[in-house]
Amino acid sequence: MIPVYIGYDPREHEAWRVCVASIARRSPETPIRTLRLSALRDAGLYTRETFLTETSRIDAIDRKPFSTEFSFSRFLVPALSLYEGWAIFCDCDFLFTAPLDALFELADDRYAAMCVKHQHDPIETVKMDGVAQTRYRRKNWSSLVLWNCEHPANRHLTVQCVNRMPGRWLHAFEWLSDDLSGELPLSWNWLSGVNEPLPNGEVPCGVHYTLGGPWFPNCQDVPLADLWRAERDSRRMPGYGALPSERERALNSSERCLA
């Protein structure tokens, strides 16, 4: 099975739990791995330096604000996969409503990476719980990526590269020529509060609460917030679908890097 790497940020722990649960319940055989910055640093895989202002985290390389602890570590997925096979990365603020098998079936060996190619030029200046909203080329392309880890082009995405290149270069997929990035359907990375509803009342396969979700007090009424709350609450009900022990450990551990 293709593994799924999920970015982790302590501020969004509840979002991460629900994201993991939504995958494990619908795709119980899918290996789930969590990218934790502390573990990646301890392993010597992540060395980028940052500093804090009153409102933002700033990357020391390009002096730009960024939102989450996994803003750059997501690009380590091909290296963590030893440049073999396929893998998926997603932000922790996703809710999946469909089995990931349908996403895996879209994998196309012609491409080094596949994503929803958003045209997202935000007008707001803050998001989530008050962090700065940033504008950059190909925003949100990297929030869900179907990685062809063994594609030769991804060999350029080394650990050293991820730790040294500017964020704008990484998030814009600049190590790839345009013909090597494939396009996924919008349904797999539907941006709550940004994208229009899908036709005929269709529920997105992957809801991305990019502006913030109901785990933040000021984001209770974002589009499809009730869907997220229903998933959260279903985990608390007796008889909730049995999570394999591997998934349950991933949900409960506070120290795992790669579950």
Side-chain angles (χ1 to χ4, degrees):
M1 294 293 294
I2 296 178
V4 177
Y5 291 78
I6 303 175
Y8 180 81
D9 190 299
R11 294 184 308 111
E12 298 190 89
H13 180 76
E14 189 174 19
W16 167 78
R17 288 175 63 90
V18 171
C19 180
V20 171
S22 74
I23 296 170
R25 183 153 71 100
R26 295 169 177 83
S27 307
E29 301 303 316
T30 297
I32 299 175
R33 299 170 181 173
T34 300
L35 293 179
R36 293 183 182 273
L37 190 61
S38 58
L40 292 168
R41 284 197 183 279
D42 290 346
L45 296 171
Y46 191 87
T47 59
R48 293 181 80 104
E49 296 298 329
T50 63
F51 58 91
L52 300 177
T53 67
E54 290 185 1
T55 59
S56 303
R57 311 176 206 192
I58 306 295
D59 179 53
I61 293 175
D62 60 12
R63 302 286 169 166
K64 301 289 186 182
F66 63 97
S67 302
T68 66
E69 287 194 354
F70 53 86
S71 288
F72 309 109
S73 62
R74 71 188 70 205
F75 298 102
L76 291 170
V77 167
L80 292 170
S81 301
L82 303 179
Y83 302 101
E84 295 177 353
W86 285 80
I88 290 173
F89 169 83
C90 71
D91 289 4
C92 65
D93 54 357
F94 267 78
L95 170 70
F96 290 97
T97 68
L100 292 186
D101 299 30
L103 180 57
F104 300 156
E105 289 173 1
L106 300 176
D108 188 330
D109 288 333
R110 292 177 298 169
Y111 302 115
M114 303 179 69
C115 63
V116 177
K117 296 184 176 181
H118 292 289
Q119 302 294 323
H120 182 201
D121 187 16
I123 57 174
E124 63 277 345
T125 58
V126 296
K127 63 178 181 176
M128 299 193 294
D129 57 345
V131 300
Q133 173 69 286
T134 56
R135 303 170 69 181
Y136 53 85
R137 182 170 176 256
R138 295 178 172 176
K139 187 174 180 66
N140 267 311
W141 283 31
S142 63
S143 56
L144 180 135
V145 181
L146 183 56
W147 289 101
N148 184 356
C149 299
E150 62 190 43
H151 193 286
N154 286 328
R155 288 281 180 171
H156 298 294
L157 205 58
T158 63
V159 171
Q160 293 77 14
C161 172
V162 172
N163 282 295
R164 295 174 183 173
M165 294 302 291
R168 63 182 180 276
W169 186 90
L170 293 166
H171 287 285
F173 292 60
E174 293 287 357
W175 73 95
L176 298 178
S177 58
D178 287 351
D179 63 313
L180 292 181
S181 62
E183 187 160 10
L184 296 175
L186 174 63
S187 180
W188 283 105
N189 188 355
W190 183 84
L191 306 179
S192 172
V194 176
N195 293 137
E196 295 294 326
L198 296 180
N200 304 316
E202 178 186 349
V203 176
C205 298
V207 182
H208 181 192
Y209 298 93
T210 184
L211 301 181
W215 54 95
F216 291 130
N218 62 328
C219 297
Q220 296 302 302
D221 298 321
V222 298
L224 298 190
D226 287 347
L227 202 63
W228 187 90
R229 281 190 284 264
E231 185 73 29
R232 177 200 61 191
D233 295 342
S234 68
R235 290 193 61 252
R236 301 171 179 170
M237 295 173 59
Y240 176 81
L243 293 179
S245 59
E246 180 81 6
R247 306 304 189 284
E248 194 60 55
R249 287 197 299 272
L251 283 169
N252 293 327
S253 169
S254 62
E255 295 300 328
R256 282 181 93 84
C257 167
L258 303 176

